[in-house]
Amino acid sequence: MTAAISHFDIDAIRAEFPILQQQIEGNPLVYLDNAATTQKPKAVIQAITNYYTQCNANVHRGAHHLADEATRRFEQARDTVAAFIRANDRSEVIWTSGTTEAINIVANGIGQRLQPGDEVLVTEMEHHANLVTWQQACKRSGASLKVAPIHDNGALDTAAFTRLLTDNTKLVALPHVSNALGTVNPVKTLTAEAHAKGALVLIDGAQGIAHGGVDVSDIGCDFYAFSGHKLFGPTGVGVLWGKKAVLQDWPVWQTGGEMIARVTYQESTWGELPNRLEAGTPNIAGVIGLAAAIDWFNQFDLTAVQAHERRLLDYATEQAHSFDGLQIVGTAADKIGVFSFLLEGSHPADVGFLLDKQGIAIRTGSHCAQPLMQRLGVPGTARASFSVYNTLQEVDALFIALKKARQMLA
Amino acid sequence: MNLPGYEDIIEDLAFFDDWEQRYQYIIDLGKSIPKLAAEQKTDELLVPGCQSKVWLLSHTKDGVLQFQADSDAVIVNGLLAIVLAAYHNQTPARILAFDIDDYFQTLDLERHISPTRGNGLRAIVAKIQGLAKQAQS
Ligand SMILES: Cc1ncc(COP(=O)(O)O)c(C=O)c1O
């Protein structure tokens, strides 16, 4: 871990990201696609390299020095994650390949218990990972999928959400933060409401985690899912956190090595948490890289990070208001990190392409939320999304590039 | 349908030396190609695999294939005009013999046609080639 940066020094932060130092088609790279994936600081790249150069070995099994060291770093990472999200118990942290797999572990488990008449409640702002999974689990079991509507500004219609909660609701799945709109959901109060009806609650934290300050104990949810790659960590690793009381007899996901207690040719018994939900050789380098990412992130004063991100979003919003023909998509009062928009008369794909030509990386399309785009009546959006290393100058660069795009498309 | 010939496009694009002029040309091309009427834009004509919607309409006349294409994104429309410049009003044999990759390379637009790029131009080309094969047999 590098020495703590006590004040918020943006140049020092940027210097830690080798990838940000490049030029795209002769322009400095302006990376504004952080909701898709964040870039990786040197500390993360180094941790992965160190693992492969110093202690690559399979975990939990070798009787040798390297295996011990690999296992130590691997299990220490579990402690790092547990502390980061304020879990009560390290065995509640299950390594997955990402948010998607984490959601599927929950869906697989609850899917076996769902019956006709049961209900699963999601929202209109779901990423496909937290929609298709439930839709299919409902189809298989005969349960019904209920969808809590949003207001036109992208905020959840909490009154409708409350009405849709019934005694038949077995599970509520909703995003902490919407990847397409940036809407922050009041997950703590919604969780309490769902619990009052006896439903389990899963929070899709893919976007929520990246902004820090997640406290699963305070939220009170039963499951929280996130991906390492949106938190400065590597791809291919993520976390399913679940309350021990819920997870300890959760239906197993994959079967194979590591997750068993005893095996005969005809029968097997399952191991304890967390192993029972972690079959096979895990993504050891990924796990170690994710812990390094959290250590790296933890060196900052969270209030300063959040204030910086807020400043970026506020500044972009302010610029947008004086930019002719720009419509912001998603204007919920509680919003973070995401600036989704349309240029009047232009397809987002055209806008994205012309920004790319100017070195500005944004995402265009439906953001894995096709039903949400239909609900909003848009063909998709252009989305700039911010992270700690972005600067106000980059927001300026975005708008300069947008001006050129607008002029070319006019 | 009034499209520039592909030799014209090669000549025009070679004339520009910065990306802005090149893409302004493509955008203007995209705006100038005839649009499909709303009722022609049916789901059957939709070519899957594009971020923007692309419709391709074709028919055979006197042994040549004729195409009309439309997209809700203007740069894609311009690229479609460039593709159709090569294929429109051609015999199936000519269509199948035409080296589209070489054409796009000459235009310095190969990134648009590369199989890794998800804008679906490749899907359009495959569709057109498939239609040419059908027409041949
Ligand atoms: C809100 C949300 N949920 C789920 C996912 C899926 O994450 P992953 O693809 O890392 O599994 C994403 C990532 O795009 C997301 O933004």
Side-chain angles (χ1 to χ4, degrees):
Chain A
M1 204 174 132
T2 45
I5 299 174
S6 53
H7 61 300
F8 198 77
D9 179 348
I10 192 81
D11 292 333
I13 291 174
R14 290 184 69 81
E16 294 194 45
F17 289 82
I19 206 169
L20 297 178
Q21 318 303 326
Q22 66 187 295
Q23 306 249 316
I24 304 289
E25 314 219 14
N27 298 296
L29 165 66
V30 174
Y31 186 77
L32 299 177
D33 195 15
N34 295 288
T37 197
T38 54
Q39 299 302 345
K40 322 304 171 196
K42 283 181 200 157
V44 169
I45 300 166
Q46 194 59 50
I48 295 168
T49 306
N50 286 352
Y51 164 70
Y52 281 122
T53 50
Q54 295 165 4
C55 64
N56 171 56
N58 212 325
V59 289
H60 301 147
R61 29 193 117 174
H64 54 80
H65 175 81
L66 293 187
D68 286 347
E69 182 56 20
T71 305
R72 190 185 66 75
R73 294 188 196 184
F74 179 80
E75 286 303 330
Q76 199 171 43
R78 207 184 297 275
D79 294 322
T80 303
V81 168
F84 185 60
I85 59 175
R86 313 271 195 284
N88 285 323
D89 192 311
R90 66 189 307 281
S91 72
E92 296 177 335
V93 173
I94 310 295
W95 302 122
T96 67
S97 63
T99 309
T100 303
E101 191 187 34
I103 294 170
N104 274 276
I105 294 173
V106 179
N108 172 63
I110 206 148
Q112 298 178 18
R113 302 174 185 177
L114 287 176
Q115 295 177 353
D118 288 345
E119 293 168 5
V120 172
L121 178 58
V122 297
T123 72
E124 278 184 339
M125 68 178 94
E126 300 310 328
H127 183 283
H128 294 159
N130 204 33
L131 171 64
V132 181
T133 317
W134 299 112
Q135 173 194 86
Q136 296 302 312
C138 286
K139 273 193 200 299
R140 280 191 297 272
S141 61
S144 8
L145 185 71
K146 301 286 172 183
V147 185
I150 55 170
H151 296 294
D152 290 342
N153 70 356
L156 183 68
D157 180 343
T158 51
F161 175 92
T162 306
R163 281 195 300 277
L164 284 165
L165 271 175
T166 73
D167 293 334
N168 297 325
T169 311
K170 290 292 174 288
L171 183 118
V172 173
L174 80 162
H176 195 168
V177 175
S178 152
N179 65 306
L181 307 175
T183 307
V184 182
N185 285 312
V187 286
K188 185 176 176 175
T189 47
L190 299 177
T191 296
E193 285 186 39
H195 280 168
K197 291 286 185 187
L200 290 169
V201 177
L202 174 136
I203 307 292
D204 170 359
Q207 297 297 329
I209 198 74
H211 307 289
V214 170
D215 182 335
V216 291
S217 305
D218 180 58
I219 296 170
C221 54
D222 301 281
F223 308 99
Y224 195 95
F226 65 93
S227 303
H229 71 93
K230 296 187 199 273
L231 181 63
F232 314 103
T235 52
V237 66
V239 170
L240 170 65
W241 169 85
K243 275 183 189 156
K244 194 168 187 176
V246 179
L247 274 190
Q248 63 192 1
D249 61 348
W250 200 251
V252 297
W253 169 232
Q254 295 179 323
T255 52
E258 281 286 290
M259 52 76 68
I260 41 74
R262 267 181 58 87
V263 177
T264 68
Y265 281 113
Q266 303 301 334
E267 296 297 333
S268 300
T269 56
W270 312 140
E272 303 282 314
L273 282 182
N275 304 32
R276 72 194 306 275
L277 291 169
E278 293 177 354
T281 299
N283 181 354
I284 305 166
V287 162
I288 288 169
L290 172 53
I294 292 174
D295 285 340
W296 178 83
F297 187 74
N298 274 340
Q299 71 184 304
F300 302 112
D301 170 25
L302 188 58
T303 322
V305 169
Q306 290 174 342
H308 177 66
E309 289 189 5
R310 168 122 308 272
R311 199 152 49 232
L312 292 167
L313 184 59
D314 287 349
Y315 186 53
T317 307
E318 198 182 294
Q319 297 254 31
H321 286 149
S322 54
F323 192 97
D324 271 350
L326 191 150
Q327 178 203 344
I328 301 176
V329 182
T331 51
D334 199 359
K335 183 178 161 182
I336 194 167
V338 169
F339 177 72
S340 228
F341 63 93
L342 288 169
L343 270 195
E344 205 173 82
S346 303
H347 195 280
D350 289 327
V351 175
F353 182 81
L354 295 176
L355 291 187
D356 179 46
K357 279 301 210 186
Q358 301 172 74
I360 317 275
I362 61 158
R363 177 153 179 204
T364 62
S366 64
H367 315 296
C368 294
Q370 290 177 14
L372 173 62
M373 297 299 125
Q374 279 154 25
R375 155 66 182 88
L376 296 169
V378 297
T381 73
R383 179 190 72 186
S385 50
F386 305 114
S387 187
V388 282
Y389 43 67
N390 290 125
T391 63
L392 295 175
Q393 291 91 304
E394 287 181 309
V395 177
D396 284 332
L398 167 67
F399 279 90
I400 290 167
L402 269 176
K403 207 166 181 178
K404 177 158 282 172
R406 181 180 60 186
Q407 180 193 324
M408 289 181 72
L409 291 166
Chain B
M1 173 167 181
N2 232 344
L3 283 170
Y6 76 91
E7 285 101 346
D8 300 330
I9 290 179
I10 293 175
E11 206 173 297
D12 288 347
L13 273 173
F15 179 76
F16 303 124
D17 44 32
D18 71 9
W19 76 269
E20 255 183 88
Q21 291 175 328
R22 292 165 57 75
Y23 280 93
Q24 192 66 63
Y25 173 83
I26 293 169
I27 289 167
D28 293 344
L29 255 186
K31 286 184 174 161
S32 69
I33 70 166
K35 304 270 146 203
L36 289 173
E39 65 272 14
Q40 288 177 296
K41 296 182 186 173
T42 60
D43 283 355
E44 291 95 79
L45 295 188
L46 216 46
V47 181
C50 314
Q51 195 192 101
S52 53
K53 287 187 174 164
V54 176
W55 296 266
L56 180 70
L57 183 64
S58 66
H59 55 267
T60 317
K61 194 182 162 198
D62 305 332
V64 298
L65 286 173
Q66 300 190 321
F67 301 101
Q68 239 180 304
D70 200 351
S71 164
D72 51 2
V74 69
I75 293 174
V76 174
N77 254 336
L79 294 167
L80 286 172
I82 292 172
V83 169
L84 293 193
Y87 290 138
H88 180 60
N89 263 333
Q90 301 295 325
T91 62
R94 285 280 304 268
I95 289 175
L96 292 171
F98 189 80
D99 188 343
I100 190 87
D101 290 301
D102 184 62
Y103 174 45
F104 269 73
Q105 209 141 24
T106 309
L107 296 173
D108 201 12
L109 292 173
E110 63 270 22
R111 67 176 281 198
H112 293 288
I113 198 95
S114 95
T116 55
R117 193 160 168 91
N119 74 0
L121 217 52
R122 191 103 216 156
I124 303 280
V125 169
K127 178 105 189 253
I128 289 174
Q129 289 168 340
L131 289 165
K133 271 193 199 125
Q134 254 176 32
Q136 228 179 12
S137 57

